Amino acid sequence: MLFTFVSLYDILTAVKHIAPLSDLFFRGMEERDLGNSYKICFLGYKKLGEMAQQVIEHLNYSDTTIILKECAIDTLAQAVNEGLSEGCQVFVAGSANAEEFKRRFYEHLIELHVDMSDYLFSLQHAKDQGAERIAITVHRKSRRVDFDVLQQLTGIPIQPIYYESETELEYNLSHADCDCVIGASLTDEVAGRLGIKSILIYEGEYTIRSSIDRARNLAAELQSASRKEAVTSAIIRNTPAGIIVTDENGRITIFNNQAKKLTGLQDQKLRGQFLSDVIPALSYAAFYKKGQSQLDHKHLFDGAMVRCIQTRLLQGDQQIGMLTTLQADNSRRKRTDNTREFSAKHHWKDIIGTSGAVKRIQAEGKNLAELEDPIALIGESGTGKGFFAQCIHNSSPRAGEPYITINAATIAAQDAARVLFGSDNDGKPHMGLLELAGSGTVVLRGLGEASEAFLSCLQQVMMHHSFFNVGGVTAIPFNARLLTLVTPEETTKIPRALWERLSVFSLNIPSLRERQEDIMSLFRFFLLRETSLTSPQNQRDLEEILRFYSWPANLVSLATVCKRYMYYYQQAMNPSPSARQQILIHAIGEDALLQDIYQRYPALKDATNSPPEDVLQGVAVMKRILKYNNSTVADKLGLGRTTLWRMQKNAGISETSGEKTP
C-alpha cells in the first residue's frame, strides 16, 4: 500500500504547536535526494531466466540492482525469501509464478504481461512453422485462457493441457496428440526432453525489459514514500502533544506515544480499531454530527483532565479523516462536573451467537445483575469479558449510573491513591475515580499486574466501604458495585483475602473454542463492521477452517483475522471459493494452522518413525484445511514423495482426495 502523503501534510499543518518542525520537514522534502538505490528481484525459470539474464546484462541502470532468481513454483517461496533478505523492494515474475506469489506473499509484484495478442502471435508462429496439432499449456493457478475465442479468431484447433507439477505436465504432454506446444519456461524444458517443438509464450526482450522498467519506477515511488513516512512518523511520535488520527471510516491510523500516555492505553494495539470503540467520548461520528470544522473540549482520562481538540482533515472538499490533539489540563476536575460520558453501551440483545455456552452466560449474567455483590468475570484473553460486564451493568438497577473502567496495570504505584481516591491538596478538589462512580459500576482489569499500592488501596475500600481523599479528613462512602475482569492465570496473582472479596460470585466466560457454533455468525459480524462495502457472500466454504483453528486470543484473534481477510479479499477482486479459502489461510497464518494440526496429530512431528495410519490421519487434515497437495505435504513432513505415496497406496488412499478408494 502506498503512503498517503497528503493526509500527513494536513496533520502537520493542523498541529500548530509543532509548526517549526513541520516547516523544517517540508523544506527537506523539496530537496531531491540523488543517492537513491533500488533492488529488483526477477523470478524466472530456465529459458525465461536465460532471456532475462541477457536483457539484464545490457541494462545500464546506475541506481538499480537486478537480482535474478531461477525458480519454479515449488521453489518460489525460498527464492522470494532470499530476495527479501537481500533487500529487494519489488519482484518480477511470469504468470504461474506470479499467481503463486500473490497467493503466498503480499510484497510488491510486477507480472510479465501476457494477453490474447501473445497467444494469437504464438499460434500464428506455430502455424507458420508447419504445426498442425497445437497444444497450449496452462498452470492451474495462473489466469484462465479463453480457448474458444482463440479458436474462433484463428481457426486453429487447440488442445489445452492443464498441470500443477512438472511430473503432471510431462505425463500430460507425453500423452497429448500434438506436434507443437505453446507455454511458459517449464513447458519449453519438458517439451525439449520429449522431442516436441515448443514456442515460449513471452514475446521476448521487450516484455522483460518493460516489466523491469515498471518495477524500477515502482521501487522509486515506494522509497520516496517510505522516506516521507519515516520523517513524518518521527515528528508525530516525538511531539509533546498527544496525536490521534482516524480515517474517513473512523478507524485509528495514528495514535502516538503521548496520546497513549494521556489516555492510559499504553499497552494496547490501537491501529485499525474504531476510535468509538476505544474512546467513545471522542467518537468520529459524534464529532461530525455537530457540523463543526473544529471542536475544543475536555475529558477525564485515568483521573486527569485532558484538553481535546478535534479537527476535520480535508483533501480539497473531501473529508479524509479527523485529527485529535490531546494536552494535559493543569486545572483539577471539580466534584460538580458532569459524568454522563462514563456509560456502558452494550446490552444482552447485542450478543452475537446462539450456542449453549452463550445462552448459559446470558441466563447467569441476568440473574447476577440483580444482586449487589461483587462479581468476577473469568475468561481467557479476548473472550469479551468487558462486553459482558457492560451487559450486566445495563441490566442492573444501576444502569442509569456511571460505568467506569480502571486498568490497574497502567496506574503507577505513586499515583494509585490520587487516581482512586482523588485529592484535596492545595484547596483544589480533584475527584477520584471511585467517588466519580457514585452508585454506578466500577470495572477492574489488569489486577494481575497491579502495584502493591493499588491493591492496598482497593483492599481498604473493600474492608471499610469508604475512603479518604489524599490530604482529606472526611470519609467518603463507596457505593458502587465492583466487577473484576481476570484471566485464569491472573487469579493466582491477586492476594487471597482480596480475591475472596472480589469474587463473591463468578461468571466463567467461554472461549471461542467452546462456542464453535457461533464462529460463522461472529465472522460475518466482524466482516460487516470492517467494511462499508458489501461483505463477501456464501462464506460457508470457509467454515471448516474457521471451526478448526484454535483462536489463541479468541474474539481478538477473530476480529484481527477478519481485518486481514477483508483487505486481502478486496485486493483479489471477487475471488472464487477456493481463492477465498486461500485468503483466509493467509489471514490466519499458514504456520499457525499448521501448528494447530501438529498439536492435534503429534505423529506428524516425526512422520518417519510414527505409525503410518496416524500420519495419514494428519495428512488428510493438512490437505483438507490447508489445501496442500502431496508434494507440499511431503516437504512439510520431511518425507520423500515416494514414501508418502507408498503409505497412501498401502492404506488404499487416493493421492488427490486423501480419501480411501472403494
Side-chain angles (χ1 to χ4, degrees), residues 11 244-247 251-255 270-273 322:
I11 294 166
I244 305 171
V245 179
T246 55
D247 63 17
R251 291 190 183 92
I252 296 169
T253 58
I254 295 174
F255 206 111
L270 302 170
R271 185 180 177 89
Q273 295 192 46
M322 178 181 71

Side-chain angles (χ1 to χ4, degrees), residues 24 28 97 115 152 184 193 200 205 259 301 424 524 531 658-659:
L24 176 63
N97 271 345
D115 57 22
Q152 290 173 11
R193 290 203 301 264
L200 194 65
E205 181 176 329
F301 295 107
D424 272 339
R524 293 190 188 96
T531 179
E659 302 290 338

